[in-house]
Amino acid sequence: MGETCLQCLIFVMSLLSCSTNQARLSVSPSSSQFFSWKSFSLSCEEDDSSAGWTLRRNTTEEDRTECGKKWGKPAGSSCNISVTASWDSGVYWCESREGSTSNSITITVTGGAVILQSPVLPVMEGHDVSLHCQTKRPPSKLPADFYKDGSLIRTEPTGHMTIHHVTKSDEGLYKCHISSHGESPPSWIYVTEKPTTPPPSTTPLKSTPSPAASSFHLSFILLLHLVVFYPYFISTVLMVSLYRHRPTGNRLPVSMVTTSPTPAEQGLADDYDDVITGVTTQHHF
Ligand SMILES: *[C@@H]1O[C@H](CO)[C@@H](O)[C@H](O)[C@H]1NC(C)=O
Ligand SMILES: *[C@@H]1O[C@H](CO)[C@@H](O)[C@H](O)[C@H]1NC(C)=O
């Protein structure tokens, strides 16, 4: 009985560590605006590929449609859009079977003559941001006007603009304009605040996760529980049972060693008492 209970515990612990899986969506080439008749691919970088991540999008026409159903061509954990059109404009994200979602990316495909190339993902406070105002053909170095939240902020002779050491106040809706060519669609630039505490362990995301890697991950978690939690748990249980069987005369305060055991631990302790008694009896034979 104790054995099965420990197995249950390990199973629950493994489930807990697996349910924290996450995914990140990225787009290649990295741009939130595209001309029509171009191509781009979206990539879902996931911690656990067995969670069944799918790429989905919301557009003005459709809600939550999956890559491969009405749009895009699935390629592993990626999705390719080989010929862009204005109806590919929308919000894209990865979603697991259980419904957890990745970051989302807003993409605008324009039939116009100008796009603004800006960071797709939120920019960390203090970093530099470069913006490029680009015409369809040929790729230009023409003077461009840059706007933030509808107001002209700068005119750049080559169409490139850099914002140094961005702060939260740089967050906003940007667009650009090249005279005699036209205006780009607007895109949001998001700024994330610098974490005050050191960031949680920055495990690099696997770019090409394989089922083998994911099962290795699972084995590793199981191994971890076996090596770390199992002995810890058993020694706690043994300690509790040893103290319980001490002569009551010179009994140490149990509360110093461990808090009162839960019903489950109590049951386990009883089981282990039996085991210990058995072992001791055999030894005396
Ligand atoms: C997609 O559309 C659905 C339905 O309108 C909405 O509930 C959901 O929040 C949208 N998702 C994103 C990422 O915008
Ligand atoms: C997806 O697009 C990338 C370039 O963006 C290309 O290298 C790759 O071959 C494409 N894959 C498929 C399956 O079309």
Side-chain angles (χ1 to χ4, degrees), residues 28-29 39-41 73-75 79-82:
S28 163
S39 71
F40 66 86
S41 71
K73 189 176 171 195
C79 183
N80 275 17
I81 294 186
S82 47

Side-chain angles (χ1 to χ4, degrees), residues 2 15 21 53 59 113 117-118 170 174 190 193:
L15 275 185
N21 65 59
W53 295 94
T59 62
Q117 288 191 323
S118 61
D170 290 312
Y174 287 77
Y190 295 100
E193 275 160 40

Side-chain angles (χ1 to χ4, degrees), residues 74-105:
S77 56
S78 303
C79 183
N80 275 17
I81 294 186
S82 47
V83 184
T84 53
S86 56
W87 52 82
D88 293 315
S89 300
V91 183
Y92 292 75
W93 72 95
C94 313
E95 194 170 312
S96 75
R97 264 195 302 272
E98 294 83 33
S100 31
T101 54
S102 68
N103 58 310
S104 57
I105 287 180

